Amino acid sequence: TMLPLLLLLLPAARAIVELPDRPALTQTPPLEGLTTASTFVLDQPRCVFENYSNAVIWLVVALDKATSTFNNTARPGTSETAFQRFPASVSAYMTLNATLANYPCRKPAGDITVLRVGSETSCAQDEARPTCNGPLPGPGPYQVKFLALEGSEPVAETAWSEPITLRTAKSPSTIPTTDSGHSAGMIAITTILSILFAILLAGLVAMLVFWDSDSCGGSSTFSKPESVTVRRYTPHHVYDQPAARL
């Protein structure tokens, strides 16, 4: 009587294939914002699930401390794996589902073969979309893996990634507002420029004073020209001659 029961349990006891691949932050091509305060960028799992053409490939995002307790048989799109419940009551959620056709082994020319985790904001509070790729709620650290499901049955998975820690925004109170926050090089450059400006200003003032004194001294060298008196000259022979006789 136990044999039929064991035969029924055999499909459920099928082992998941553990693939040697491990998700990682992308390195090529280098991208701006590899990690932000709520997102990070992974390489796509290309040439990883070629033997599972009928599978749907999911990304599992978990808190670093919850990887060992994640249940591979958990179904995506349920309250057990909903993004909106992460991390309050759910320690790992499932998102970014794709088929093998989305991850061809050969990279098409010009394609950017990366995944940005945490890029969807419109569905972050929408419980009707439990598989939302919403912004991550904190710096982490997080670990991720890819899980292939055929129907609702897990058939293959990658290893967990190394822990991924996001950036933390600085508090306004920690930003220096005094000169002590300036570098020594900046202070030296400012001092040199101030000295050069003072020298230039002093030279300009001295030049103006010199020009003013030179103009005043030059005016004193001019004198009023003496008036020239022209004396009338009357020849004596005009008066000495006797009057003409008729």
Side-chain angles (χ1 to χ4, degrees):
T1 58
M2 295 295 296
L3 184 58
L5 181 61
L6 291 175
L7 292 176
L8 290 175
L9 292 176
L10 281 178
R14 179 182 174 183
I16 300 175
V17 177
E18 295 183 0
L19 304 172
D21 300 86
R22 184 187 300 271
L25 294 175
T26 186
Q27 299 297 324
T28 52
L31 297 175
E32 294 293 333
L34 181 62
T35 60
T36 67
S38 60
T39 68
F40 57 89
V41 183
L42 298 174
D43 281 323
Q44 292 181 357
R46 292 175 177 264
C47 301
V48 176
F49 295 97
E50 298 96 332
N51 297 327
Y52 305 93
S53 57
N54 296 324
V56 176
I57 302 163
W58 291 84
L59 177 70
V60 182
V61 183
L63 294 172
D64 181 40
K65 59 185 179 181
T67 56
S68 60
T69 59
F70 176 73
N71 181 10
N72 283 331
T73 61
R75 299 185 63 180
T78 65
S79 59
E80 188 181 0
T81 57
F83 167 81
Q84 289 77 14
R85 298 174 180 265
F86 178 83
S89 58
V90 169
S91 58
Y93 66 94
M94 300 174 70
T95 186
L96 292 176
N97 56 307
T99 63
L100 191 61
N102 297 110
Y103 299 137
C105 187
R106 185 175 180 179
K107 175 184 174 181
D111 278 12
I112 299 176
T113 57
V114 297
L115 299 173
R116 182 173 288 277
V117 181
S119 62
E120 293 185 76
T121 58
S122 60
C123 58
Q125 304 298 326
D126 186 2
E127 294 191 0
R129 293 187 57 190
T131 60
C132 175
N133 179 30
L136 293 160
Y142 304 98
Q143 286 183 264
V144 298
K145 72 175 180 179
F146 291 101
L147 177 64
L149 302 180
E150 290 183 353
S152 60
E153 183 182 353
V155 292
E157 65 177 351
T158 65
W160 288 101
S161 69
E162 296 295 331
I164 300 171
T165 302
L166 304 185
R167 296 184 181 183
T168 303
K170 286 187 176 181
S171 171
S173 61
T174 63
I175 300 176
T177 58
T178 62
D179 290 340
S180 60
H182 296 165
S183 65
M186 182 63 71
I187 294 175
I189 292 174
T190 304
T191 303
I192 293 172
L193 291 176
S194 299
I195 294 173
L196 292 175
F197 179 75
I199 293 173
L200 179 63
L201 183 61
L204 182 60
V205 171
M207 186 178 297
L208 291 174
V209 171
F210 174 76
W211 283 348
D212 185 64
S213 62
D214 185 61
S215 299
C216 294
S219 62
S220 63
T221 60
F222 293 98
S223 60
K224 182 178 180 181
E226 296 182 359
S227 60
V228 179
T229 303
V230 179
R231 294 181 181 182
R232 184 177 182 182
Y233 176 74
T234 304
H236 295 283
H237 66 275
V238 174
Y239 298 97
D240 292 342
Q241 292 180 354
R245 294 187 183 192
L246 299 173

